[in-house]
Every structure is written in C-alpha cells, then in structure tokens.
Amino acid sequence: MENKILTIIIEDEQPARELLKAYLQSHKEVELVAECENGFDGVKAIAEYRPDLIFLDIQMPKLNGFEMLELLDEYPEIIFTTAYDEFALQAFELNAVDYLMKPFSKTRFDQALEKVFSRLKNKSQQNPVVEKLKEQVRETAGPQERFFVKTGNHIDVIATDEIIHVEAQDDYVEFHTVKGRFLKKETMAQLEKQLPPDRFLRVHRSHIIRLDQMEKLEKYGKESYMVVLKNGDRVQVSKSRIKKLKEKLGI
C-alpha cells in the first residue's frame, strides 16, 4: 500500500493502549494518529482524522463501543477489543470484523491486522457487517435508558425520562424533550423497540408518546383523536392505534 493506514486507538485502559501501540510498532505501514480514552473523544477524533482503521474497546464508561458506532455516519475498518463481550463474539462469527479477546498475543494481533489490510484493498463506504451487527444490538439490547445524538461537534445525552414524545422526520426521528428538540438518524420502527413499552406507545405512524406526559385525549372528528400533552403539544392518533391507546389508559 502506497499510503499509510491512518489508525486510532479507542480504549479506556492505559495498559491496553500501550500494548496496542507496542504491537503496532512493527507495522510501518500503519500510522497511529490518535489515541482516545473514551467514546466521546473517539467520535471527535474520527471526525477530525477520518482514519482507515480503529481499535475499539467495547466496554467503556459513559459511552460504550456500540453506542459510539451509533454516532458515526461512515465507518473505518474496526478491530474490536474486549475482555468478554458476547457481541464481540457475534462479530467474530460474521468473519468480517475481527475482535481481539484480552489478553491477546502479538500473533493474534497480526492476524487481525492482516484481515484489515485485505479488506482495505476493496473498501466500500459502509461496512455491511457493522450495520448488521448494530441491528443485532438494537434487536437484543431491549429498552434503553439513554440515547446519544450527535449535532455538529456536540454529543447530547438524552435520558429516556426526558423524552416527551417522538416525531418521524424523513430518515430521522425528532426527540421532543424537556431540554429541547434533537434529531437522530433512526427509523420509528427501530426506535420503538428501544423504548420501554410500558411507558411509551406509538399512536401514529409518525408519533410515539410517553404515556405519563398525556394531559388529555380529545376527539376532533367522527373517528379522529388527538392527544394533548402536558407541554401543550398536540399529537394525532391514527384510527388503527386508538384501541391500543384506550387499552393502555383503561378506558
């Protein structure tokens, strides 16, 4: 390869970062451009350096590896590093993104790097395996307590308790929260699976509400209903979902 492979290490444990750097020293075709202690710094570094490869720890405080991936529009090649994460094992079974199970040897490290070299020769913009892995995480993770939304250089953390309602906006969802509105690239169907079903309900193709934020239910047509929320927002209820809403409300 004529150009060096730009690489970032995203790992919260310093000994692990030092080990990765020591192993990289024998690979002169790889240039380490940044090392980060957490996912927040990792997102910023990826936006700044646009690396070809990242070494990504899965279990990190504040923002884990998979949550960090949710904030990226494009992926570099990824070698996961982990001590015992089940999702990393799934990644290995897909035989495309590699993982390094700690503690790992120099030989195992070199093998993982060789896979990346091979992939980079036929690199596509989006890594379908990571997309599939992310979808698996969404499917199996269950209700979330928080969401991360990237706006420019800022990453906002939205607690589930702060969400009042959610509205579809083309390929995005818009969170209406106690501290403002936030757009996240996500489908309503995907988001619906990530919200606690006992507290949130999809009342329309384009709307999800938090049930304890309902002020009242108004009828404005022969078979049409509107939810009025405590913050004054009004949300349409579709005919197909009014029955489910009434069941939730016990009316």
Side-chain angles (χ1 to χ4, degrees):
M1 297 179 184
E2 295 181 359
N3 298 322
K4 287 200 172 186
I5 298 171
L6 304 183
T7 303
I8 293 175
I9 295 172
I10 306 169
E11 164 70 65
D12 66 315
E13 298 176 354
Q14 183 176 355
R17 294 198 302 273
E18 295 300 327
L19 181 65
L20 287 168
K21 287 193 291 184
Y23 284 171
L24 281 173
Q25 287 181 355
S26 63
H27 293 276
K28 301 304 181 186
E29 66 274 54
V30 177
E31 180 180 355
L32 181 63
V33 293
E35 55 181 294
C36 308
E37 297 181 9
N38 57 68
F40 288 106
D41 290 343
V43 172
K44 295 176 184 176
I46 290 171
E48 179 178 356
Y49 294 102
R50 301 181 67 83
D52 304 296
L53 166 66
I54 60 173
F55 291 89
L56 178 61
D57 189 12
I58 294 175
Q59 292 162 316
M60 296 183 290
K62 298 182 181 179
L63 188 69
N64 67 42
F66 290 120
E67 290 170 332
M68 198 207 80
L69 290 178
E70 291 285 345
L71 298 171
L72 302 182
D73 297 323
E74 297 180 5
Y75 309 114
E77 296 300 329
I78 301 168
I79 296 178
F80 292 104
T81 60
T82 183
Y84 44 79
D85 192 282
E86 61 179 337
F87 294 122
L89 293 174
Q90 292 176 15
F92 178 73
E93 290 169 355
L94 292 169
N95 198 30
V97 288
D98 209 341
Y99 80 98
L100 294 172
M101 183 71 78
K102 301 173 184 175
F104 49 85
S105 66
K106 177 66 163 54
T107 299
R108 181 68 186 87
F109 175 88
D110 290 343
Q111 290 172 347
L113 207 51
E114 283 299 325
K115 290 182 181 180
V116 173
F117 294 160
S118 177
R119 285 177 55 91
L120 284 174
K121 292 179 181 176
N122 299 295
K123 183 175 175 58
S124 59
Q125 277 200 325
Q126 292 292 331
N127 186 327
V129 177
V130 174
E131 289 291 338
K132 185 174 181 178
L133 187 58
K134 283 173 60 179
E135 185 62 31
Q136 288 179 338
V137 171
R138 291 191 188 104
E139 294 287 342
T140 58
Q144 296 188 23
E145 296 181 355
R146 59 185 183 175
F147 294 87
F148 297 92
V149 179
K150 183 183 176 187
T151 307
N153 293 324
H154 301 283
I155 298 173
D156 291 290
V157 181
I158 301 172
T160 301
D161 289 340
E162 295 174 323
I163 299 171
I164 299 172
H165 66 105
V166 186
E167 182 176 4
Q169 298 284 0
D170 296 325
D171 295 332
Y172 291 79
V173 295
E174 184 177 43
F175 291 100
H176 294 244
T177 78
V178 295
K179 57 186 181 185
R181 300 181 179 185
F182 302 89
L183 279 173
K184 180 179 177 66
K185 192 167 186 178
E186 188 89 89
T187 68
M188 290 292 275
Q190 290 168 342
L191 181 66
E192 189 177 9
K193 296 174 183 175
Q194 299 171 61
L195 290 168
D198 59 329
R199 301 179 59 205
F200 288 84
L201 183 68
R202 191 170 182 177
V203 296
H204 187 276
R205 179 170 52 85
S206 301
H207 298 286
I208 295 173
I209 64 167
R210 199 174 105 201
L211 292 167
D212 64 4
Q213 290 298 302
M214 274 190 63
E215 182 71 29
K216 56 185 175 181
L217 179 65
E218 289 184 345
K219 193 170 184 178
Y220 72 98
K222 185 177 180 180
E223 297 182 1
S224 301
Y225 288 86
M226 189 78 75
V227 167
V228 181
L229 297 164
K230 291 180 179 178
N231 69 346
D233 287 352
R234 302 168 70 85
V235 175
Q236 185 178 356
V237 183
S238 68
K239 293 178 182 178
S240 62
R241 298 176 191 270
I242 186 61
K243 182 180 179 182
K244 185 69 175 178
L245 177 59
K246 287 184 175 180
E247 287 177 357
K248 285 279 187 181
L249 299 174
I251 57 178

